[in-house]
Amino acid sequence: MKKVLSIIVSYNFEPWLTKCLDSLLQSTYPADIFVVDNASSDHTVAQINENYPQVILHESGTNLGFGRANNIGFDYAIANEYDAVFLVNQDAWVHPVCLQHLMQEDYGSNVGIISPMHYDGTGLQLDEGFAGYVNQEQAHLDHFAVPFVNAAFWLIPVSVLKEVGQFSPIFYHYGEDSDYANRIQHHGLKIMVNTKAIAYHDRQTRKAISSAQFFKREFIYFLTEYANVNHSFPKAFGYGVLAPIKKAFQRPATTPHHGFASYLSVAFQVFAKTAAVIQTRKRNN
């Protein structure tokens, strides 16, 4: 049986801690659990130490963000000769046979990432952010390939980590998965969804984003385009820097989220990341 390390990045994990960890402990396919805590201010660490002694807990002194924290788990998996890592969001849990289906399906060759079906926290419908990756025809297959699926639940062979590398540190929170999916594609690997594997992402009640959050999301989106290793530099510059400038001039006057100065700021921030992005592109080539 192949060894799997489930990795959870936690920050104030208390609302989901029991449901998330218990679901992994009740998995029909066994996996060790590695939690990287990003300096939680609640009782996350105390609860894990008291109630889950079998969990491997790494306490970070600062909030490392999603990518850098997962990289600590990746290092542990490689050093301890695991066969695969299974990334699970803290606000999520899995069906008991989820990992068993993910591990036992035959996906063919050149597989980089495998994902279950993402349902919302009610379990009654697909997670809104995931639903766009699936169409009716695909839902009747055992598995199918997609260009991207968010990293709420990613099963990655350790051999892929060694080939593709780890999350890029230029993405602090959000964008890490998009960048990694681009790199998976660059290496000729596939991203698969297993329709028999079920997991739940509890985010259906999140509030609407603020204007500041909107522009942070836009910045990250254009930064992933600029860093996309599959683009030539002129194409990356056009998608990452010129596109937000174009948006600034095309903004709908009636939409409060859109602002001329804000999109120019997005373009400037993306361009200011030039050195880091170029280094990332070099490492990925």
Side-chain angles (χ1 to χ4, degrees), residues 251-263:
R251 71 199 188 285
T254 57
T255 307
H257 276 326
H258 293 70
F260 181 81
S262 296
Y263 267 113

Side-chain angles (χ1 to χ4, degrees), residues 106-114 145-146 157 159-160 163-164 183-192:
D106 181 8
Y107 305 96
S109 59
N110 300 323
V111 175
I113 295 169
I114 310 160
V146 291
S159 59
V160 171
E163 179 181 357
V164 177
R183 290 157 56 195
I184 286 287
Q185 179 185 350
H186 179 72
H187 284 265
L189 301 172
K190 297 179 292 188
I191 301 173
M192 305 297 296

Side-chain angles (χ1 to χ4, degrees), residues 113-191:
I113 295 169
I114 310 160
S115 167
M117 300 286 283
H118 301 200
Y119 282 78
D120 68 13
T122 70
L124 300 175
Q125 59 187 7
L126 291 178
D127 171 68
E128 184 178 357
F130 174 82
Y133 312 133
V134 185
N135 60 44
Q136 274 190 322
E137 292 77 18
Q138 290 171 322
H140 296 292
L141 302 173
D142 287 340
H143 58 263
F144 56 89
V146 291
F148 174 76
V149 62
N150 66 67
F153 310 95
W154 272 10
L155 180 70
I156 311 173
V158 167
S159 59
V160 171
L161 294 179
K162 292 177 179 179
E163 179 181 357
V164 177
Q166 303 185 2
F167 283 122
S168 170
I170 67 171
F171 297 98
Y172 175 76
H173 188 54
Y174 300 120
E176 307 95 336
D177 50 1
S178 295
D179 177 69
Y180 203 81
N182 290 335
R183 290 157 56 195
I184 286 287
Q185 179 185 350
H186 179 72
H187 284 265
L189 301 172
K190 297 179 292 188
I191 301 173

Side-chain angles (χ1 to χ4, degrees), residues 18-84:
T18 300
K19 200 161 192 177
C20 179
L21 294 181
D22 283 358
S23 75
L24 290 167
L25 290 171
Q26 293 162 10
S27 170
T28 57
Y29 192 102
D32 293 335
I33 304 173
F34 189 95
V35 174
V36 183
D37 186 70
N38 270 339
S40 291
S41 59
D42 64 1
H43 300 99
T44 292
V45 170
Q47 284 197 24
I48 292 175
N49 283 331
E50 181 177 352
N51 300 319
Y52 296 93
Q54 65 273 67
V55 169
I56 306 159
L57 176 62
H58 178 96
E59 296 180 55
S60 172
T62 58
N63 190 337
L64 299 174
F66 183 78
R68 288 173 61 198
N70 268 303
N71 287 348
I72 293 172
F74 293 164
D75 286 337
Y76 184 90
I78 292 169
N80 290 276
E81 299 184 338
Y82 284 86
D83 297 293

Side-chain angles (χ1 to χ4, degrees), residues 219 259-271:
F219 160 66
F260 181 81
S262 296
Y263 267 113
L264 289 183
S265 173
V266 167
F268 175 78
Q269 290 177 61
V270 171
F271 188 66

